[in-house]
């Protein structure tokens, strides 16, 4: 593979990683704001403890995983060796935190309430985690940038194969 193609692929991957890291940090701030606003809107005296614990576990895991993934992209965009042991550790921890995030939905499901009007119960499902999930957006950004990183890795492999 020609040197200029390899270099331009590397530059594009680094640029995409920097942009992706900035997006991921912004999404971590959005997740933190959601956590703070949810905690301010939750009345601890009336909310079940399990719901509060689940809320904290779920959101803190999402924030930490997003920051770890942003750090992965930032390190790739700024350092000469993008595939060091620290990078693989960041990915492993982020994966574990995403698992915690997902399992917390099953373990700490929001409470369902029933309202009775005129002697006939009308079930009302109340969930504290509805709407657009910023974690899904952060994963999409991460995987797009990871594709650029893989493309750079492929370019390196093709280059090393042409030398041998």
């Amino acid at each position: 593979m020609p040197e200029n193609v390899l270099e331009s692929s590397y530059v594009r991957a680094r640029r995409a990683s920097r942009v992706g890291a900035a997006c991921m940090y912004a999404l971590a701030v959005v997740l933190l704001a959601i956590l703070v606003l949810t905690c301010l809107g939750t009345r601890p005296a009336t909310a079940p403890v399990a719901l509060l614990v689940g809320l904290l576990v779920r959101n803190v895991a999402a924030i930490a995983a997003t920051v770890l993934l942003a750090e992965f992209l930032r390190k790739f965009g700024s350092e000469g060796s993008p595939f060091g042991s620290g990078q693989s550790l960041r990915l492993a921890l982020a994966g574990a935190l995403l698992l915690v995030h997902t399992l917390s939905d099953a373990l700490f499901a929001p409470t369902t309430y029933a309202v009775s009007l005129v002697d006939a119960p009308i079930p009302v499902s109340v969930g504290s985690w509805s709407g657009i999930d910023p974690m899904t957006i952060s994963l999409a950004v991460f995987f797009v940038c990871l594709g650029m990183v893989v493309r750079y890795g492929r370019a390196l492999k093709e280059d090393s194969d042409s030398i041998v």
Side-chain angles (χ1 to χ4, degrees):
M1 174 172 272
E3 185 69 28
N4 62 345
V5 174
L6 182 62
E7 182 63 29
S8 66
S9 178
Y10 178 61
V11 168
R12 280 193 308 269
R14 286 183 64 164
R15 188 178 308 129
S17 294
R18 286 187 200 118
V19 169
C23 290
M24 298 290 284
Y25 283 123
L27 287 168
V29 170
V30 168
L31 287 168
L32 182 62
I34 289 171
L35 175 61
V36 168
L37 291 173
T38 304
C39 286
L40 290 175
T42 304
R43 295 188 193 114
T46 59
V49 175
L51 180 63
L52 295 175
V53 169
L55 176 74
L56 285 174
V57 167
R58 182 179 193 277
N59 287 305
V60 169
I63 293 165
T66 302
V67 168
L68 283 169
L69 295 174
E71 274 296 294
F72 174 88
L73 293 173
R74 186 185 69 79
K75 294 283 186 185
F76 179 80
S78 65
E79 292 184 358
S81 177
F83 301 111
S85 61
Q87 293 290 69
S88 61
L89 181 61
R90 282 181 194 86
L91 289 175
L93 286 174
L97 287 167
L98 289 174
L99 182 60
V100 168
H101 176 267
T102 302
L103 290 176
S104 68
D105 283 341
L107 296 174
F108 304 106
T111 307
T112 301
Y113 299 93
V115 178
S116 224
L117 296 175
V118 192
D119 295 331
I122 301 172
V124 177
S125 178
V126 179
S128 60
W129 301 311
S130 62
I132 296 173
D133 186 6
M135 197 64 212
T136 304
I137 297 168
S138 68
L139 285 174
V141 169
F142 177 74
F143 287 128
V144 167
C145 293
L146 188 60
M148 295 296 292
V149 172
V150 169
R151 189 159 86 179
Y152 169 64
R154 186 177 63 234
L156 280 178
K157 172 130 176 47
E158 289 174 6
D159 186 55
S160 68
D161 289 346
S162 69
I163 294 172
V164 175

